[in-house]
Amino acid sequence: MDPGTKATPLAVRRTAAKSLPRVVPISPETRAIIKEKTGKEYLTSAELPAELELPNCRDLVDVSALGGVTTKLDLEGCTAVTDVSALGGVETLILRACTALRDVSTLGSVRVLCLRRCEALVDVSALGTVTDLDLGYCCRVIDVSALGAVSKLNLSGCTFVTDVSALGNVRELRL
């Protein structure tokens, strides 16, 4: 630039960081499992499809990048999964028979949540805003008093649940 020329400020578009999708790299182990099940390789959470089915992947441990799935994620029978904290943005989440799963406190934003046969699960108090919740045969669950706003609730086989008096607003209740 010539010394006598004025610099023109650049127009910069500003985007709030909250509105940008969080891009998480997918671990090599998780990538290999996804490729084996789907035939496709994804490197980051932003590349994942809206729906992903990975049932019975007993070696799947790290699901932190799978929060990039937005519509439906099926992890039924993934018995090594323990941390699902990154999956709260998925609309429909199937964690049936994820027997090592203990903490679901971050899943309150999920609309349809299947936790059937998650035998290590005890505390479900954070799930009161889930629309359709299947806790069938979660045999360690005792207190369901915070689930009164759930529309459809399955408690069949939950033998330690004895008080359902707080569930008056549940439209469909299976015991």
Side-chain angles (χ1 to χ4, degrees):
M1 185 182 325
D2 292 332
T5 310
K6 282 186 170 180
T8 307
L10 295 174
V12 177
R13 189 180 87 176
R14 297 184 189 268
T15 304
K18 289 181 197 175
S19 66
L20 295 174
R22 186 168 170 239
V23 178
V24 177
I26 301 172
S27 71
E29 297 83 9
T30 302
R31 268 201 327 265
I33 291 169
I34 293 172
K35 187 171 184 176
E36 180 183 319
K37 287 285 189 177
T38 67
K40 297 179 182 172
E41 187 164 2
Y42 303 99
L43 299 177
T44 69
S45 59
E47 299 171 9
L48 290 169
E51 295 188 12
L52 184 60
E53 295 185 10
L54 300 173
N56 302 310
C57 295
R58 289 177 175 41
D59 295 329
L60 181 63
V61 176
D62 180 11
V63 296
S64 59
L66 300 184
V69 175
T70 55
T71 306
K72 181 181 178 185
L73 179 59
D74 183 350
L75 298 176
E76 177 176 347
C78 296
T79 55
V81 171
T82 58
D83 182 3
V84 293
S85 60
L87 306 181
V90 181
E91 289 179 27
T92 299
L93 184 55
I94 300 166
L95 297 171
R96 175 191 305 240
C98 291
T99 53
L101 187 60
R102 294 180 190 278
D103 182 8
V104 292
S105 61
T106 59
L107 302 180
S109 298
V110 175
R111 286 193 306 158
V112 177
L113 181 57
C114 177
L115 296 169
R116 185 180 208 47
R117 297 199 184 278
C118 290
E119 297 159 356
L121 192 60
V122 176
D123 183 10
V124 294
S125 61
L127 304 178
T129 55
V130 174
T131 305
D132 182 340
L133 181 58
D134 185 350
L135 294 173
Y137 300 94
C138 291
C139 52
R140 296 183 66 200
V141 171
I142 297 170
D143 183 9
V144 293
S145 61
L147 304 179
V150 174
S151 296
K152 185 177 177 184
L153 180 59
N154 181 4
L155 295 173
S156 59
C158 296
T159 53
F160 289 111
V161 173
T162 57
D163 183 6
V164 293
S165 61
L167 303 178
N169 293 328
V170 176
R171 285 188 265 157
E172 187 178 327
L173 177 61
R174 291 190 65 193
L175 296 172

